[in-house]
């Protein structure tokens, strides 16, 4: 016996060929099984992609985006349309304003011309009345107590008043009468000024408030004289110049010419 026979050997025992083959076959089978399982797993993993499980969610989001885009486009279109309408309205308003301005300026110009013409006419009438008063005063001064015989001007507002009054000389005085052959003081004055186109109130109280108040020291032919307070006058007559007036005096005198010195008036108004 060898001196090393009792020492175990450290060499691995050799495997038999049958065991190696068996193990190889088992290993191959396991690998094949794993391969098949892997293939199956791969196939199963690919199937969800082909079925597009997430497509419904993607389609809903896309539809919402499209709808929002359409709404935005419509809003933009509405905004542009609204702006276009506003611009058109503003343009129309501007044109109308321009036309209205031109019309207003034309009207104002016409009014200015009419006003100027009216002022010119009024000035001419004042000058004419002044000339008439001067003529009537001269006639009265020249005629003295026979002033009634002096002819009145054929035309003109003041002349027509004085002419009418003188034509009534000698008529009766009757309280409340208004012509043609009997008068009271205010009806005679009212009828006289109507010849000149001036409408006076019927009673002396109201006639004393008409026209412009003038002082009795600054009388002109055609001024209305009143006796009593302004607005409460009890008698009226008309100044005919040369310190005289014509009135429907009373039942005993009738329509006459009198001197102011004998019966001074309280005041006077000018309506012509």
């Amino acid at each position: 016996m060898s001196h090393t026979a009792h020492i175990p050997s450290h060499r691995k025992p050799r495997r038999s060929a049958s065991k190696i083959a068996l193990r190889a076959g088992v290993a191959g089978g396991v690998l094949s099984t794993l391969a098949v399982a892997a293939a199956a797993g791969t196939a199963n993993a690919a199937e969800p992609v082909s079925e597009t499980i997430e497509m419904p969610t993607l389609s809903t989001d896309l539809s919402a985006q499209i709808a929002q885009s359409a709404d935005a486009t419509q809003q933009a279109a509405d905004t542009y349309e609204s702006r276009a309408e506003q611009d058109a309205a503003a343009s129309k308003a501007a044109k109308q304003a321009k036309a209205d301005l031109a019309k207003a300026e034309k009207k104002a110009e016409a009014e200015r011309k009419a006003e100027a013409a009216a002022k010119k006419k009024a000035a001419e009438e004042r000058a004419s009345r002044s000339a008439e008063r001067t003529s009537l005063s001269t006639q009265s001064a020249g005629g003295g107590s026979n002033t009634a015989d002096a002819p009145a001007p054929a035309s003109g507002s003041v002349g027509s008043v004085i002419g009418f009054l003188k034509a009534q000389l000698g008529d009766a005085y009757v309280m409340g009468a208004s012509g043609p052959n009997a008068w009271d003081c205010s009806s005679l004055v009212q009828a006289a000024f109507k010849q000149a186109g001036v409408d006076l109130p019927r009673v002396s109280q109201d006639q004393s408030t008409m026209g412009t108040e003038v002082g009795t020291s600054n009388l002109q032919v055609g001024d209305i004289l009143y006796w009593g307070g302004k607005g409460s006058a009890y008698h009226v007559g008309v100044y005919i110049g040369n310190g005289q007036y014509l009135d429907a005096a009373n039942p005993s005198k009738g329509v006459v010419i009198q001197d102011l010195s004998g019966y001074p008036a309280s005041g006077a108004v000018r309506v012509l």
Side-chain angles (χ1 to χ4, degrees):
M1 176 180 290
S2 170
H3 66 276
T4 60
H6 66 279
I7 299 173
S9 175
H10 292 286
R11 292 181 181 178
K12 292 182 180 181
R14 292 183 180 179
R15 296 174 181 173
S16 63
S18 60
K19 289 183 180 180
I20 293 174
L22 177 60
R23 291 180 177 177
V26 171
V30 171
L31 292 175
S32 298
T33 301
L34 292 175
V36 171
T42 303
N44 291 333
E47 285 179 2
V49 177
S50 63
E51 290 179 0
T52 61
I53 295 174
E54 298 299 328
M55 283 303 291
T57 301
L58 294 175
S59 298
T60 301
D61 293 342
L62 182 59
S63 298
Q65 293 177 1
I66 292 173
Q68 290 177 356
S69 177
D71 290 341
T73 302
Q74 184 62 44
Q75 289 177 0
D78 293 342
T79 300
Y80 293 146
E81 183 178 0
S82 177
R83 288 180 179 176
E85 291 176 353
Q86 292 174 359
D87 291 344
S91 177
K92 183 177 180 181
K95 290 181 180 179
Q96 185 63 43
K98 185 177 181 180
D100 292 342
L101 178 60
K103 185 177 180 180
E105 289 177 348
K106 185 176 181 181
K107 183 178 179 180
E109 180 64 22
E111 290 177 350
R112 284 194 294 270
K113 290 182 179 179
E115 183 179 0
K119 288 181 178 179
K120 182 179 179 181
K121 183 177 179 181
E124 291 175 349
E125 290 177 350
R126 285 194 297 271
S128 177
R129 286 196 295 268
S130 179
E132 290 171 6
R133 289 188 174 102
T134 301
S135 176
L136 289 171
S137 296
T138 301
Q139 292 172 7
S140 296
S145 60
N146 295 323
T147 302
D149 296 330
S155 62
S157 56
V158 176
S160 61
V161 171
I162 303 303
F164 178 85
L165 290 171
K166 289 181 176 180
Q168 313 312 313
L169 285 170
D171 285 355
Y173 175 96
V174 176
M175 177 66 71
S178 56
N181 300 312
W183 313 85
D184 61 18
C185 64
S186 56
S187 68
L188 179 62
V189 172
Q190 182 187 48
F193 279 88
K194 190 173 183 179
Q195 309 305 309
V198 178
D199 291 326
L200 293 177
R202 173 63 178 82
V203 298
S204 57
Q205 292 90 339
D206 294 334
Q207 289 177 1
S208 67
T209 64
M210 301 299 292
T212 303
E213 184 76 17
V214 295
T216 55
S217 60
N218 189 34
L219 295 173
Q220 293 184 0
V221 175
D223 288 346
I224 298 175
L225 304 172
Y226 65 85
W227 285 258
K230 186 178 181 66
S232 59
Y234 58 84
H235 187 68
V236 288
V238 178
Y239 184 70
I240 62 173
N242 195 31
Q244 295 180 318
Y245 65 95
L246 191 154
D247 68 336
N250 52 52
S252 62
K253 290 183 178 181
V255 179
V256 293
I257 293 175
Q258 305 190 78
D259 290 331
L260 269 174
S261 59
Y263 190 32
S266 303
V269 293
R270 185 170 298 157
V271 297
L272 288 174

